[in-house]
Amino acid sequence: MKTYFKDIRNLYHVLIGFTSGYDLSVIFGFGNRDKFPLSWDDLRTLLAPVACAVVVGWFAFLWEKRQDKIAKGSSDMRDVYVSMIAAYLGGFIALFYPNMIAAIILSGISIVILAKHYKK
């Protein structure tokens, strides 16, 4: 795993996965304490970040399949798993600190990275 993260491209999966999970959690309103009270007895508290991770995982999987069509053997399922774990962490943090400004800033950084990395 140490050699996996030496490639800066793999760190993009962490950043963009985290940002996507955070954004989805904020957009879906999981930070709304009236509808989603923070309680370990409430199953929604545990499942909200999982829902974000599943959505991000699906899009990461589609992205990797698209990458495989462009360059054979360039995709790696570890990228999908890393994106899902980062999205779960982003969704979990958004449960405790839902902030639209932070979501916009993270999204801007991710979009700039995507635009610079994939402008070929």
Side-chain angles (χ1 to χ4, degrees), residues 59-70:
F59 281 106
F61 177 75
L62 293 176
W63 181 266
E64 292 298 319
K65 287 297 171 191
R66 181 180 172 274
Q67 229 175 325
D68 244 1
K69 288 181 183 177
I70 295 170

Side-chain angles (χ1 to χ4, degrees), residues 39 47 56 103-104 114:
S39 169
L47 292 181
V56 170
I104 291 170
L114 274 173

Side-chain angles (χ1 to χ4, degrees), residues 15-16 18-24 26-27 99-115:
L15 175 67
I16 294 170
F18 180 87
T19 300
S20 301
Y22 189 90
D23 290 350
L24 286 174
V26 169
I27 289 170
N99 189 338
M100 188 60 77
I101 294 172
I104 291 170
I105 291 170
L106 285 170
S107 297
I109 292 169
S110 295
I111 289 170
V112 166
I113 287 174
L114 274 173

Side-chain angles (χ1 to χ4, degrees), residues 16-59:
I16 294 170
F18 180 87
T19 300
S20 301
Y22 189 90
D23 290 350
L24 286 174
S25 189
V26 169
I27 289 170
F28 288 152
F30 294 142
N32 185 348
R33 293 297 142 243
D34 295 332
K35 294 182 181 178
F36 294 96
L38 284 180
S39 169
W40 295 114
D41 297 331
D42 190 1
L43 196 58
R44 294 177 298 180
T45 302
L46 299 172
L47 292 181
V50 172
C52 295
V54 168
V55 170
V56 170
W58 176 250
F59 281 106

Side-chain angles (χ1 to χ4, degrees), residues 71-116:
K72 294 288 184 198
S74 66
S75 71
D76 189 1
M77 281 305 288
R78 286 185 296 182
D79 295 342
V80 176
Y81 301 140
V82 167
S83 298
M84 287 179 72
I85 292 168
Y88 178 81
L89 291 175
F92 190 74
I93 289 173
L95 285 177
F96 297 102
Y97 184 67
N99 189 338
M100 188 60 77
I101 294 172
I104 291 170
I105 291 170
L106 285 170
S107 297
I109 292 169
S110 295
I111 289 170
V112 166
I113 287 174
L114 274 173
K116 283 188 169 225

